[in-house]
Amino acid sequence: MSDVAVSLYLPNATTGSTFHGVALQTNYIAPAGADYTGAAAMPGGTTTTQSWFFLTAVNLLEERRASAIVALGDSITDGVNSTPDTNRRWPNVLAERLQGAHGFPPLGVLNEGINGNRLLSEGNFAPNALKRFDRDVLAQAGVEYLIVLLGINDIGHSALGDGPTVTPADLIAGYRQLISRAHEHGILAYGATLTPMGGSRYDLPAAQALRDAVNAWIRDSGEFDAVVDFDRVTRDPSQPTRLLPAYDSGDHLHPNDAGYRAMGEAIPLVLFR
């Protein structure tokens, strides 16, 4: 639960760098040509950004048997609209709970959420989840558990008409591929229900029908090893298609800090014993 500062010096111009757009952490860029790696303070002329560049992961050596949980998702896993520099994303909340619990081996929580990501089709920011599964799940160290929260962008863009048309069967086939590939590598796959989107730009009858069908399959099919019901946790009981007002960041799609905390606290820790 500590903070790590990583300094990079790039002596030459670079192109095509690894880029995490919505890191929600303040990063500092020194003036061109200056090498301040390891410096405790940055010089004048420093600019800031809420994005990460180049660095994709930090691996730690743990002497005891350790394992990892991968949270594979989109902007709702990425923590969009949470407070920057405070680690309020739902995977952070899960990590805090595991650190404070007794009787668990060391467990890392790897946030593999990407803003705008989709299960099946290509968004503007990243390859779809099926394409990036090897890189973002299987290639990570010590992965034993997978939580999948994906599909809302496929559904929304399909209903808006600015993305490929998808059906419940299409999305279910995608989930089955993720489950099968996880199981091939001894990873338990947990399915998370899609959170409410009423009042957002995705709030169209076709999209709501798709979300309902997908959530029903996630809950009732038994194909995931367990279900994390984020929809039930975050929805307004009086208007189930909408986020609870206390959990709504304002765009009616992304939770706020309180909503992300409710999500992180809703995950049964027994799933990771």
Side-chain angles (χ1 to χ4, degrees):
M1 308 310 298
S2 59
D3 293 323
V4 177
V6 178
S7 300
L8 302 173
Y9 172 59
L10 309 171
N12 301 308
T14 61
T15 58
S17 67
T18 296
F19 170 64
H20 188 149
V22 190
L24 297 170
Q25 303 287 157
T26 301
N27 294 267
Y28 302 88
I29 303 174
D35 180 2
Y36 287 92
T37 52
M42 293 291 277
T46 297
T47 59
T48 61
T49 175
Q50 289 287 313
S51 301
W52 275 321
F53 298 88
F54 300 102
L55 189 68
T56 59
V58 175
N59 284 330
L60 304 177
L61 181 62
E62 171 59 58
E63 293 181 355
R64 298 169 293 171
R65 181 180 179 275
S67 56
I69 303 162
V70 171
L72 187 67
D74 49 39
S75 56
I76 295 174
T77 297
D78 212 4
V80 166
N81 291 352
S82 64
T83 303
D85 296 323
T86 60
N87 297 313
R88 302 287 177 84
R89 314 163 193 86
W90 69 258
N92 293 105
V93 176
L94 174 60
E96 292 170 3
R97 294 177 62 216
L98 287 165
Q99 289 294 318
H102 299 289
F104 288 87
L107 279 163
V109 180
L110 313 184
N111 189 335
E112 295 292 351
I114 299 179
N115 182 32
N117 201 219
R118 304 179 196 177
L119 176 63
L120 303 175
S121 61
E122 296 299 292
N124 296 326
F125 305 105
N128 65 45
L130 297 178
K131 284 186 178 179
R132 68 186 182 97
F133 190 84
D134 285 5
R135 181 194 73 186
D136 291 345
V137 180
L138 300 183
Q140 303 303 320
V143 177
E144 292 190 15
Y145 308 98
L146 170 69
I147 303 174
V148 178
L149 177 59
L150 281 160
I152 203 72
N153 290 316
D154 300 77
I155 289 170
H157 287 286
S158 174
L160 287 168
D162 61 1
T165 300
V166 297
T167 66
D170 295 329
L171 292 165
I172 289 167
Y175 294 133
R176 282 174 169 157
Q177 286 190 55
L178 296 183
I179 294 167
S180 176
R181 295 176 71 188
H183 286 173
E184 286 174 358
H185 294 267
I187 298 169
L188 292 172
Y190 302 148
T193 53
L194 304 180
T195 51
M197 58 186 181
S200 75
R201 65 192 184 102
Y202 290 166
D203 187 8
L204 299 167
Q208 292 290 2
L210 264 172
R211 190 182 75 93
D212 289 345
V214 166
N215 278 350
W217 182 85
I218 292 171
R219 288 188 181 103
D220 302 332
S221 69
E223 297 198 34
F224 280 105
D225 295 297
V227 174
V228 179
D229 203 341
F230 285 154
D231 172 52
R232 181 185 60 81
V233 169
T234 58
R235 69 190 180 200
D236 183 347
S238 64
Q239 301 181 87
T241 63
R242 289 178 173 260
L243 287 167
L244 191 72
Y247 294 162
D248 192 340
S249 68
D251 66 3
H252 312 304
L253 181 64
H254 298 94
N256 57 18
D257 291 351
Y260 286 126
R261 175 152 294 279
M263 292 170 68
E265 290 179 346
I267 302 169
L269 296 188
V270 69
L271 297 178
F272 310 111
R273 284 198 185 278

